[in-house]
Structures are given as C-alpha cells and as structure tokens.
Amino acid sequence: QVQLVESGGGLVQAGESLRLSCKASRSILSFNVVGWYRQAPGKQRELVASRSSGGRTNYADSATGRFTISRDIAKDTVTLQMNSLKPEDTAVYYCNANIIGNNYWGQGTQVTVSS
C-alpha cells in the first residue's frame, strides 16, 4: 500500500504558473510509473503527464511545452510544474502511482484558472 498526498493547487489567472506536489508514503523508487491526471467537471479523467522509472516522460498534447513532471527521490515527491496556464486547465489534478500493475491515487487538488 502507498498513500499519495497532493498539494499546490489554487486559483490563478491565465498565464500564471503553479507547482503541484505529490508526497508518497514510501520510496518512489519502487514506482514503475508516476503520473498526473486531471478531471474537469463533466469530463473523463485524462492523463496530463507521466514518468517511468527509467526516466521516460509522456505528456498530453495540451501539456506539451507548458508542463514538466519531475521527481525528488530524497523527498519521495513527484512534482508537476505548470506554466502559461489556461482556463481550460481548470480541473481536479490527481497523482497516480503504478506499482507492479497496481494503481494508487491521491485525493486530488483543485486547480482553477481564471481568464
């Protein structure tokens, strides 16, 4: 089992930045894949960015060039740096960890971008 706790969400204006953090209850070195997903009202949850244990990253088209996923092994934390935010980025953002086929989710953090 692993617990994931997100933080860093909030209300910002279009063009501003936010940095989301996901703190894990155990070493993230054991995670096969870590990722950030988001879910806007009335929409399905979608992948925003992911990082494999080997360092390969994957971004949604909407996030490419604006968002960066990274990890801090010493702090067991995965971060999502979001720049040039747009109103359409408004959603609840969830941290996800895949460990040997098992998926774990955080409780989510709200990001709201005003125009």
Side-chain angles (χ1 to χ4, degrees):
Q1 282 289 344
V2 61
Q3 282 74 49
L4 305 171
V5 179
E6 300 100 333
S7 62
L11 172 63
V12 297
Q13 292 187 335
E16 295 183 339
S17 299
L18 276 176
R19 185 177 180 88
L20 304 183
S21 293
C22 172
K23 180 71 169 71
S25 60
R26 58 187 260 194
S27 173
I28 63 175
L29 285 175
S30 64
F31 298 175
N32 300 110
V33 182
V34 292
W36 286 93
Y37 289 72
R38 67 187 182 188
Q39 187 166 19
K43 295 188 177 181
Q44 290 188 329
R45 191 172 297 188
E46 62 177 2
L47 174 69
V48 177
S50 66
R51 186 190 188 283
S52 72
S53 57
R56 177 174 294 182
T57 56
N58 181 42
Y59 294 92
D61 289 343
S62 60
T64 300
R66 299 188 299 128
F67 295 1
T68 303
I69 187 171
S70 61
R71 67 176 188 177
D72 186 330
I73 296 173
K75 297 181 179 179
D76 293 323
T77 298
V78 181
T79 61
L80 183 69
Q81 177 66 42
M82 304 188 294
N83 299 327
S84 302
L85 283 163
K86 304 175 181 179
E88 51 263 44
D89 294 318
T90 296
V92 178
Y93 284 70
Y94 297 90
C95 180
N96 171 270
N98 182 277
I99 307 171
I100 315 178
N102 294 312
N103 270 313
Y104 299 91
W105 295 92
Q107 82 288 352
T109 186
Q110 177 70 46
V111 172
T112 303
V113 184
S114 63
S115 57

